[in-house]
Amino acid sequence: ARVSPEHKLRIVQALRDAGDIVAMTGDGVNDAPALKQAHIGVAMGITGTDVSKEASDMVLRDDNFATIIAAVEEGRVIYDNLRRFVSFAVAGNLGKIIVMVGWPIPFLLLPFDGTAAVALLPLQLLWLNLMTDGLLGLAMGKEPAESTVMRRPPHVPGGSLWTGGLGRRTVWIGLVIGFVALGIGLWYHETGNPAWQSMLFTTLAFLQIGQAFATRSHHDSLTTIGWRSNTLLLWIAALVLALQLAALYTPLGVFLRLEPLGAVDLMIAAATGVGLLVLIESVKAVDR
């Protein structure tokens, strides 16, 4: 209250120069320059002037400072969920790229029998993308706040989406998905199993279901955040599983050119998803 408009502006600039993330609150005309200079200007919605509201990034409709805390938490949750979804989608698609690009290589370089048929048909790839990136990714956008969301420093403005080891984690998960699915598909193909493409297709689906549960948090364990804290993901995972089974054991399989799998084969595919979940959770435990 005893600071002049010029000094308010200088204080904000000094904090920014020191590398701090600055929020400035105000309600008067004389607050407008500092509100504009801060990383985020917050104006009072009830007592604030039109000038201060125009200069601000956010307006408190209730003039309650506690609302700022709620807004910061909501913003961090949205950003975390965005990073979570991008990492999930990139890792899954990296795995599919490895399968599609890597499939012909053993037939060219190694004494494999048969021909280098396409690993997955376009319709099968489209189905997997709709099930995983579409449905599972949608559920990941509803992930609640992590326990540490308000105890960590802000992200650097303009910083990379892949900070904090997210890029490295995304790559190695994508590599595991790709090479596990590729290895199982090649093994079934070389043993003369006519359902090799169905096995490859189903393994990728189970791997990404396991990946979705394991990447709900990049730090906390699944037991810490709770299985039922995101009920939407549970329901959508069940839906994806049901649709995958329908693709194998109903006339839909004819449209997708899939062969039914035996019980043992289905259990092997499911085990890969559980294995990936355990692997990601183990790596998170080591990081903690």
Side-chain angles (χ1 to χ4, degrees):
R2 298 187 301 180
V3 177
S4 68
E6 180 188 356
H7 286 167
K8 291 178 183 179
L9 185 60
R10 291 176 62 187
I11 290 170
V12 170
Q13 188 60 56
L15 289 168
R16 291 193 58 147
D17 293 342
D20 291 322
I21 308 298
V22 186
M24 169 71 187
T25 61
D27 58 3
V29 174
N30 62 346
D31 295 320
L35 288 168
K36 194 72 174 177
Q37 183 64 32
H39 287 99
I40 178 168
V42 184
M44 301 298 112
I46 299 174
T47 60
T49 61
D50 289 340
V51 174
S52 65
K53 293 177 185 178
E54 287 293 329
S56 298
D57 304 287
M58 182 169 72
V59 177
L60 295 180
R61 297 180 62 189
D62 57 2
D63 284 12
N64 187 349
F65 288 117
T67 306
I68 300 175
I69 301 172
V72 170
E73 182 175 6
E74 186 67 20
R76 291 188 178 191
V77 171
I78 291 171
Y79 187 69
D80 283 351
N81 286 344
L82 175 65
R83 298 180 76 218
R84 191 175 290 114
F85 168 74
V86 171
S87 174
F88 171 77
V90 170
N93 283 294
L94 175 60
K96 296 183 186 80
I97 290 171
I98 290 172
V99 168
M100 297 302 293
V101 174
W103 181 263
I105 295 176
F107 296 93
L108 298 174
L109 302 180
L110 299 174
F112 272 39
D113 296 329
T115 58
V118 177
L120 292 171
L121 300 175
L123 276 177
Q124 295 168 353
L125 270 176
L126 179 61
W127 175 272
L128 286 173
N129 280 331
L130 288 173
M131 294 298 103
T132 55
D133 297 348
L135 292 177
L136 289 174
L138 175 68
M140 297 185 78
K142 294 291 291 182
E143 193 65 34
E146 295 185 24
S147 59
T148 59
V149 69
M150 294 299 285
R151 295 203 299 269
R152 62 178 187 237
H155 291 285
V156 178
S160 171
L161 191 75
W162 304 102
T163 56
L166 184 64
R168 181 180 67 255
R169 190 180 304 117
T170 300
V171 170
W172 76 254
I173 292 175
L175 291 174
V176 171
I177 291 173
F179 285 110
V180 168
L182 184 62
I184 287 179
L186 288 170
W187 173 262
Y188 271 71
H189 184 278
E190 287 306 294
T191 54
N193 193 320
W196 64 267
Q197 198 168 56
S198 297
M199 189 63 186
L200 179 56
F201 173 85
T202 308
T203 298
L204 279 170
F206 274 107
L207 282 167
Q208 287 213 260
I209 292 174
Q211 178 201 2
F213 281 102
T215 55
R216 286 183 56 197
S217 171
H218 298 306
H219 305 284
D220 296 335
S221 69
L222 191 55
T223 53
T224 299
I225 61 179
W227 284 87
R228 292 188 291 181
S229 58
N230 186 352
T231 54
L232 180 62
L233 180 60
L234 288 174
W235 284 108
I236 287 187
L239 175 62
V240 169
L241 179 58
L243 290 171
Q244 284 296 128
L245 295 177
L248 291 172
Y249 302 111
T250 69
L252 182 61
V254 178
F255 178 70
L256 293 172
R257 299 186 185 179
L258 296 171
E259 298 284 341
L261 293 178
V264 175
D265 299 330
L266 197 61
M267 290 176 63
I268 292 173
T272 62
V274 175
L276 180 60
L277 189 153
V278 172
L279 175 61
I280 297 174
E281 287 292 311
S282 301
V283 172
K284 288 195 294 184
V286 172
D287 289 342
R288 289 194 300 274

